[in-house]
Structures are given as C-alpha cells and as structure tokens.
Amino acid sequence: MTSTLESTPEADRTVREVGIAIIGSGFAGLGMAVTLTQRGESDFVVLERAGDVGGTWRDNTYPGAACDVQSNLYSFSFAPNPDWPRSYSEQPEIQAYLRGIADRFDVRRHCVFDADVTSARWDDDARRWLVTTTAGEFRARVLVSAAGALADPTYPDIRGLDSFAGTVMHSARWDHEHDLGGERVAVIGTGASAIQVVPAIQPVVDSVTVYQRTPAWVVPRTDHPVKPAMRRLYRFVPGLQRAVRAMLYLFREFLVIGMAKNRRFLKPVGKLARAHLHRQVRDPKLRKALTPDYTIGCKRILISNDYFPAVAAPNAELVTAGIAEVRPHSIVATDGVERPTDTIVLATGFHVTDLPIAEKICGRDGRTLAGVWSEGMVSNRSATVAGFPNLFLLVGPNVGVGHTSMVYMIESQVAYVDDALRTMDAEGLAVLETTTEAQDAYRALIAEKSKGTVWLAGGCASWYLDKHGHNTTLWPDFTFRFRKLTKKLDRENYVGVPAGAPSEHSEVAA
Ligand code: N01
C-alpha cells in the first residue's frame, strides 16, 4: 500500500490509499501519530483542517488563554518538558510544545494540512473507509477520529444577534485584528474561557459587561514561574519531574472521591472557594450574585486569581438578568435595561454532546454516527461503535475529565487503539468491529458509575450531560480505572473478519 502525500493539484484528483487515516492533530491526533511512528508504522496520514498542528490549543488564542492543569501533568508522559516557564502554562507555550512534538517525532511529513473532512463512508465491499476532504480523497483501512470535543464553537440562539452592527467573536475564534481598547464590551458566559478573557481585557476596555447565566465555583490559582534552577534540575534529574507529575496526578485523583464517591470530601474545596470569593469581593450584593447554588464540582471547578477582581472593577458590571435581545448597537436584558455595546464576545462553549464530526461519519448500513447517537452517544470503552468497523474514536464519549489532565486519558486511549491495530495485524484481520452487547454493557457500566455523582446529582445543568440528562461525556471514576480498563483490547467484545474471507458480514467470532 502506498501513500502519496504530495499535495499537488494532480494528486488531489486521485484517491490516496493509506493504512490509517487520523482526523485531527491536537493532543490526541499527535499522540496517536507519535505512537505509530515509534513502532515503525509509516502508512498513515493525519488529516488536519487547519494549516498547523495543535487543535484546541492552536484555535483558542483569546487574551488570557491558559491551561488550568499544571504543565508537568498536562503534557505527554513520553515527552516531558523541563522548560515550562510557569507551573500552569499559557496557550502560546502549549501550542509551541505541540509543534515541537510534531517536529521532534517527525509527524509533520504525515500531515495533510487544510484537509477538512467533509465525509467518511465505510465501503463494506472494499473494507475501506472512503474519506473525502477539502484536500482530496483517501481510502483507508482504518479511521481514527481525533477531531476533539472542544473543537466546534457553540453560537447561542439569541434574538437579534445577527442584527448586531458591531463585532461579534467567539472566544475560540478570536479576531486579533480587532482592537478592544476603549470599547464597551459584552462577554456572554462565565465558563473556563470567560473567566480568562474578562480579566485580560478589563484593563484595556472602556467597560466590560459580563452576562452570567450560572455562576461558577472559583478557587485560587496556585500559578508561579518555574525558576531557571528548577528547570535545570528537571533537565538533569528527569526523575524529579516525573515525581512532581505523579504527585500532581495523585492529588487531583483525590477530588474524584468527593465528586463520585462521597460528597463530604468536597466540603473543604467548597470552603476554599467561598473564602476566595469573600476575600476578593467586598460588595455583598455582587458576592451573592457570584455565589453558585449547586454543589461544587457539578460544573467544572474554575481556577483564577483575577476574575473576581476584574468583575468587581469600576468599569465592569455583572448582569444576572437574561438577555432579551440584541439590537444593532446594544444588548437588552430581560429586566428591560439596555446597554450600549461595541463588541460582543461569545464565551459560550463548544458542541460536546453533539459532536459535528459524527454527522460526517457514515457506517456499514449508511447511517451516520450522529444518527446512531441521536438518543445519546454510546460506545464500547469510549473508542468503538457497533456498525462502524475499523473506526476508533479518541476523545469521544465518556472520556472527558473535569478534575485532571485530559492528556492522561488520551494516552490511555491511544494505547487501546494501538493494541487493536496490532491485534488486527497479528490476526490478519481486514475488519474489526465491536458488538452491540459490549456497547450496551459499557453504557450500563457508565450509568452505574455515574449514579449519585456530583455531575448527575449536584443540582446544575452542564455540558457534561446530554439533552436526556445522561452522562455521555465524562469518565465518572478514577482515571487509573479507565487506564486499566483500556490497557488491552477486549478482544472478546469484537468480531473480526480475516483478510480474504467473504465480505458479506461473514462474521467470524473471536
Ligand atoms: O465553555 P462552557 P468554555 N446565554 O460551556 C454560557 C475547556 N477549557 O469555553 O453555565 C447566556 O464551559 C454558559 O452558561 P451556563 C474546559 O474543559 C479549558 O468556557 O450553561 N449564556 C456558560 O457560562 C471547559 O469546561 C481551559 O448557564 C450562555 C458559558 O456560556 C471547556 O473548555 C480553558 C448561553 C459556556 O461555558 C468549555 O469552556 C478554557 C446563552 N445562550 C476552556 N449559552 C483550560 O484552562 C451558553 N452560555 C484547560
């Protein structure tokens, strides 16, 4: 099998044969690509809709964008970086890290940039995925979707938003050409993105109005620069950085006890958040408006030292009344107050429970993944779906985490997918497909683990739950349990068709 990677117009008209097509080059896509490269697999492409690697860390360039997990943990275990300038890195450093990974592990030569996947269809006769992109067509034995869950912004359905005459930008699609200096800016949303945007822009704007639907629990950010001596130490004693990483990991896993097992253990975290609010906000009315009425942890716990001071600043206003309508030069709240506005920042999140990539992937019987998931996302071990042979999902259903590093989960998933690919090779399988029974069992496992957790019973609405109130996004347990569950392919939950065996669903049980 050959893979022609030159992106010449002539090549674009031909269908390129590849072993594995990976969609996306964020942490997940890169992690998969590095793993394949490391074991000598070279017959793969990484289809990237943008012009560079990085995924969400390439796209989220809003002022103040930073990670709320320490970099010693929020990085690949196989590529520690002794040179992180701060304990919690900012977006440019993380993006530089990911670009460095692509270079160091020679992944770029597999990347096809500006290749937006418009459809991926399983051809049961050919036993191949036919992947159509804006940079040409690919026929792949295996498709790995690493398109990400925080990839496609959600634009709110607010009356009159289209009629706004000023600038509207989503936090994930920041317009750096637009100068906010001296403007009256409205920020809609108070999630992880908003609480980073608001303090970053508050000092330069004329005024900032924060439209809050639900207040967030916010705890202090224990961020600090990493001293050069410490960086040297990390460089020469890598075991030290590994030890710090392990400590951070364990500390964060303790939160799961409170979130998923016994709510009592969340009490100290709640106290910390209340004390933080009290210390930073003196005005009792504002303090009350910023106090959540749901259990801490139900939504993502946010970390910030400058959000509350920014909202309490003289040129800031917190609006808790809903938005009635947007007019060409103003926003009218449901209490009737109209506020003149020059720019609207939508910090309104992403399509997480309705992943847009799912609309583009068509399985054996012609149904899209979105169609199969219309009543909620289902999978076996968060990675495979019955009816979608040779398809593997990274950062798909029930892999999300609110308390620790997503990179840990991604590495668990990559190991699982890699074991599946090795199994296919070792057994000479043309097709590997999970069973509906395995999928049902996994759904039941997730439902059982989710019962009584703070995400389901914490008294809030969040993007962790789908429209039916089911947890289809989060892994509701310790992350080491996910790693154990996905350490090896659960071969008994798959049907494999050997190469050369008759096509027509000639299922050979494992
Ligand atoms: O998005 P969100 P985000 N009218 O969905 C509000 C990761 N992340 O971009 O809470 C008015 O959390 C909505 O209100 P409500 C992280 O995983 C990580 O902030 O639904 N308001 C909410 O306040 C995070 O969880 C970092 O009532 C509307 C906000 O918009 C995920 O990204 C940094 C509205 C959306 O919050 C998403 O965070 C940033 C409407 N019509 C992000 N619609 C790190 O540091 C929505 N809202 C790693």
Side-chain angles (χ1 to χ4, degrees):
M1 204 173 282
T2 54
S3 61
T4 318
L5 294 179
E6 300 84 48
S7 216
T8 62
E10 197 156 313
D12 288 349
R13 281 200 296 276
T14 64
V15 178
R16 301 178 212 177
E17 295 282 342
V18 288
I20 303 160
I22 300 169
I23 306 174
S25 68
F27 262 105
L30 284 180
M32 190 74 238
V34 170
T35 298
L36 293 177
T37 306
Q38 295 284 80
R39 70 163 163 92
E41 175 62 72
S42 62
D43 186 15
F44 71 92
V45 287
V46 179
L47 305 173
E48 171 52 62
R49 67 182 175 183
D52 196 2
V53 301
T56 198
W57 290 106
R58 176 200 59 229
D59 293 342
N60 282 266
T61 61
Y62 58 80
C67 188
D68 54 13
V69 177
Q70 296 92 334
S71 293
N72 277 341
L73 185 58
Y74 196 85
S75 44
F76 286 121
S77 62
F78 58 80
N81 174 17
D83 294 320
W84 292 118
R86 305 194 65 82
S87 52
Y88 290 83
S89 291
E90 294 173 359
Q91 178 271 337
E93 281 83 49
I94 301 172
Q95 173 61 0
Y97 172 78
L98 289 173
R99 300 187 84 213
I101 293 287
D103 293 334
R104 179 174 151 201
F105 294 94
D106 200 15
V107 170
R108 271 182 207 277
R109 70 191 175 91
H110 296 279
C111 292
V112 184
F113 292 111
D114 303 311
D116 193 4
V117 173
T118 51
S119 80
R121 297 183 165 274
W122 173 252
D123 178 341
D124 210 31
D125 296 329
R127 293 166 174 172
R128 289 287 182 275
W129 280 98
L130 185 62
V131 186
T132 307
T133 81
T134 48
E137 290 198 316
F138 299 80
R139 198 160 31 225
R141 177 179 170 231
V142 166
L143 181 65
V144 178
S145 174
L150 302 175
D152 296 281
T154 303
Y155 291 87
D157 185 14
I158 298 174
R159 188 147 62 98
L161 187 57
D162 288 346
S163 72
F164 188 64
T167 302
V168 180
M169 53 182 157
H170 194 282
S171 54
R173 299 287 181 271
W174 199 265
D175 178 1
H176 289 274
E177 299 296 306
H178 184 80
D179 181 10
L180 291 178
E183 287 201 341
R184 295 160 299 183
V185 180
V187 176
I188 301 179
T190 52
S193 302
I195 71 143
Q196 294 181 335
V197 170
V198 172
I201 65 169
Q202 176 267 322
V204 300
V205 298
D206 172 69
S207 66
V208 55
T209 307
V210 180
Y211 289 86
Q212 170 187 281
R213 195 161 64 177
T214 315
W217 286 107
V218 183
V219 297
R221 187 179 176 89
T222 54
D223 186 23
H224 56 82
V226 182
K227 294 202 171 98
M230 194 64 182
R231 293 189 221 169
R232 272 198 299 278
L233 211 55
Y234 281 160
R235 184 171 292 283
F236 294 114
V237 192
L240 178 64
Q241 198 173 20
R242 277 201 298 275
V244 172
R245 181 183 174 96
M247 268 168 42
L248 293 171
Y249 173 76
L250 283 177
F251 175 76
R252 284 175 173 273
E253 283 308 284
F254 271 115
L255 281 171
V256 177
I257 302 175
M259 289 171 164
K261 315 287 174 195
N262 189 334
R263 215 73 63 73
R264 244 176 351 116
F265 289 91
L266 282 177
K267 281 210 168 129
V269 192
K271 269 192 177 168
L272 176 70
R274 278 179 201 281
H276 189 49
L277 176 61
H278 266 246
R279 236 188 342 267
Q280 294 202 314
V281 178
R282 295 272 151 225
D283 173 6
K285 213 167 135 224
L286 179 61
R287 203 186 265 167
K288 189 161 181 287
L290 288 165
T291 305
D293 63 356
Y294 55 87
T295 310
I296 191 165
C298 184
K299 281 171 176 287
R300 191 180 179 93
I301 301 172
L302 307 184
I303 60 163
S304 175
N305 294 339
D306 48 14
Y307 174 62
F308 289 145
V311 175
N315 69 338
E317 185 185 5
L318 183 77
V319 176
T320 54
I323 298 173
E325 68 167 313
V326 174
R327 292 181 182 163
H329 300 283
S330 64
I331 296 180
V332 184
T334 50
D335 59 5
V337 179
E338 178 172 5
R339 292 174 178 83
T341 306
D342 301 311
T343 289
I344 299 176
V345 174
L346 303 171
T348 44
F350 300 87
H351 288 278
V352 182
T353 53
D354 54 343
L355 300 174
I357 191 71
E359 284 161 23
K360 298 172 183 169
I361 298 178
C362 246
R364 167 174 283 128
D365 63 2
R367 287 181 78 194
T368 63
L369 196 49
V372 170
W373 282 351
S374 60
E375 291 306 303
M377 295 190 286
V378 287
S379 70
N380 174 26
R381 283 161 175 67
S382 303
T384 50
V385 181
F388 294 79
N390 297 8
L391 170 70
F392 298 94
L393 307 171
L394 299 177
V395 195
N398 296 109
V399 191
V401 284
H403 69 287
T404 190
S405 170
M406 196 57 208
V407 185
Y408 180 90
M409 298 300 276
I410 287 170
E411 286 194 43
S412 304
Q413 286 213 286
V414 166
Y416 181 80
V417 174
D418 192 43
D419 196 46
L421 298 177
R422 286 166 186 262
T423 302
M424 287 179 79
D425 289 345
E427 295 185 23
L429 299 178
V431 176
L432 187 72
E433 182 180 344
T434 196
T435 61
T436 46
E437 291 77 15
Q439 205 166 261
D440 291 344
Y442 190 64
R443 179 171 25 199
L445 177 82
I446 295 288
E448 186 56 34
K449 281 182 185 290
S450 300
K451 264 190 210 155
T453 62
V454 70
W455 305 295
L456 236 61
C460 76
S462 78
W463 59 256
Y464 294 158
L465 310 181
D466 68 10
K467 60 182 180 205
H468 303 292
H470 297 147
N471 167 25
T472 54
T473 62
L474 283 187
W475 169 250
D477 201 345
F478 296 109
T479 58
F480 53 78
R481 294 225 169 111
F482 182 79
R483 179 152 292 189
K484 189 164 172 232
L485 188 72
T486 55
K487 200 172 170 57
K488 290 206 92 47
L489 181 77
D490 44 326
R491 181 66 181 87
E492 70 281 8
N493 286 327
Y494 286 82
V495 169
V497 182
S503 188
E504 210 207 345
H505 300 205
S506 48
E507 295 172 348
V508 178

